[in-house]
Amino acid sequence: MLRIEHLTKKYGDKKAVDDLSLHIQKGEIYGFIGHNGAGKTTLVRLVCGFLNPDKGKVLLNGKDIRDYDRKDYYMMFAAVFQEFALLPGSIAQNIAQTDEDIDMARVKSCAVKAGIAGKIEELPGGYETHLNRQVYEDAVMLSGGETQSLMLARALYKDAPFIVLDEPTAALDPIAESRMYEKYNELANGKSSIYISHRLASTRFCDRIIMLGNSGIIEEGTHEELLKKNGEYAKLYEIQSRYYTEEDNEDGQE
């Protein structure tokens, strides 16, 4: 279990996270939502150990994460951020994130689960196809959705206890984003998960939704509980639902 205790993180004079406390239970799915600048990414980076807090601490099974070997702690997380990178190497190397001792059976299994195996097998080089044209002239260019599926396969290959997704699907349309998160959820297999999205519909399936703002937690609960509260979450959900409905209607008229 992860326990966040009175975390504070500042950038200059601005507090991105201010005296925030939260328990992340084993096997549960959490959705972190909020407007840009609400502190979602900062909070996740603190939990993953990529940043150190100015005050407070993160505990894993009662132990301050700063007391763990940092490399060992990083292995606990399969994280996909917005700024993910394709490694200069083969598709297999990108999924395994190494060029040594790759378990090809596992690579292929993860690709199948992530829904990218068919695309890979259509390529002349298959799993040995190069990615990253800055290094390889023969590298292929994957679409946004295909790249997201590749990142899913990468996360599955790592098989870490915690899954963290920080809006890696921001470039996708709302329906595609929701489906991608649901796919992660289906394959999480009882792992603890944190999903960040500014689109509320994408995190409806989460066991607990944490709405962040003003450097702290504004509201928390399930999707249904938050709608019943008729607070900030409900207002934002209504606005977004109306926006996407209008957008769909406009597309249908064209």
Side-chain angles (χ1 to χ4, degrees), residues 241-253:
S241 297
R242 188 165 60 242
Y243 170 78
Y244 292 130
T245 300
E246 291 171 355
E247 191 177 63
D248 289 342
N249 289 338
E250 290 175 2
D251 290 343
Q253 293 171 0

Side-chain angles (χ1 to χ4, degrees), residues 154-172:
R154 178 185 287 182
L156 291 172
Y157 187 93
K158 189 172 183 180
D159 194 28
F162 295 93
I163 294 175
V164 176
L165 306 180
D166 182 5
E167 291 197 282
T169 58
L172 301 181

Side-chain angles (χ1 to χ4, degrees):
M1 181 183 74
L2 276 170
R3 195 163 78 245
I4 299 164
E5 293 188 347
H6 303 290
L7 276 190
T8 295
K9 181 64 179 179
K10 296 191 296 183
Y11 297 109
D13 295 330
K14 177 177 170 51
K15 289 182 179 179
V17 175
D18 185 17
D19 195 31
L20 190 150
S21 296
L22 177 68
H23 289 185
I24 297 177
Q25 301 291 343
K26 182 179 180 181
E28 290 197 342
I29 303 166
Y30 290 77
F32 287 3
I33 63 168
H35 296 291
N36 290 336
K40 304 185 298 295
T41 296
T42 297
L43 178 57
V44 164
R45 290 183 182 276
L46 287 165
V47 168
C48 291
F50 301 149
L51 295 174
N52 288 321
D54 296 311
K55 294 181 181 178
K57 54 190 174 182
V58 179
L59 303 173
L60 174 62
N61 297 326
K63 181 178 178 180
D64 192 318
I65 65 172
R66 287 170 290 192
D67 294 333
Y68 284 89
D69 178 88
R70 191 53 60 102
K71 289 184 178 180
D72 290 342
Y73 185 73
Y74 288 160
M75 292 301 295
M76 302 285 289
F77 293 85
V80 180
F81 294 99
Q82 294 182 51
E83 64 275 20
F84 59 79
L86 292 176
L87 304 176
S90 69
I91 287 176
Q93 290 169 346
N94 267 271
I95 292 175
Q97 296 190 86
T98 182
D99 58 0
E100 298 180 354
D101 300 323
I102 297 175
D103 184 339
M104 284 305 302
R106 186 170 162 190
V107 165
K108 292 178 180 179
S109 174
C110 292
V112 169
K113 291 177 182 177
I116 190 65
K119 171 63 179 180
I120 295 172
E121 290 165 4
E122 289 176 357
L123 299 171
Y127 287 87
E128 297 307 312
T129 300
H130 287 140
L131 299 176
N132 197 322
R133 283 191 176 171
Q134 293 180 337
V135 179
Y136 299 101
E137 291 184 359
D138 65 344
V140 301
M141 295 288 289
L142 299 177
S143 69
E146 290 164 352
T147 303
Q148 295 300 333
S149 294
L150 188 71
M151 294 302 102
L152 171 55
R154 178 185 287 182
L156 291 172
Y157 187 93
K158 189 172 183 180
D159 194 28
F162 295 93
I163 294 175
V164 176
L165 306 180
D166 182 5
E167 291 197 282
T169 58
L172 301 181
D173 64 73
I175 294 176
E177 181 189 42
S178 182
R179 287 174 178 167
M180 183 60 69
Y181 279 127
E182 287 171 4
K183 184 179 288 186
Y184 273 94
N185 179 36
E186 290 169 6
L187 299 174
N189 216 7
K191 299 177 187 296
S192 301
S193 308
I194 298 173
Y195 300 155
I196 292 180
S197 178
H198 66 281
R199 294 169 178 156
L200 276 58
S202 298
T203 52
R204 289 179 59 177
F205 62 86
C206 292
D207 296 314
R208 196 149 199 84
I209 296 171
I210 311 297
M211 186 168 188
L212 298 169
N214 299 320
S215 307
I217 297 174
I218 298 175
E219 295 178 342
E220 60 179 299
T222 65
H223 173 73
E224 291 75 18
E225 289 170 349
L226 292 176
L227 287 183
K228 288 179 181 178
K229 286 183 179 180
N230 201 30
E232 291 299 315
Y233 178 91
K235 292 176 184 176
L236 185 56
Y237 184 78
E238 181 183 358
I239 291 170
Q240 289 192 1
S241 297
R242 188 165 60 242
Y243 170 78
Y244 292 130
T245 300
E246 291 171 355
E247 191 177 63
D248 289 342
N249 289 338
E250 290 175 2
D251 290 343
Q253 293 171 0
E254 292 179 357

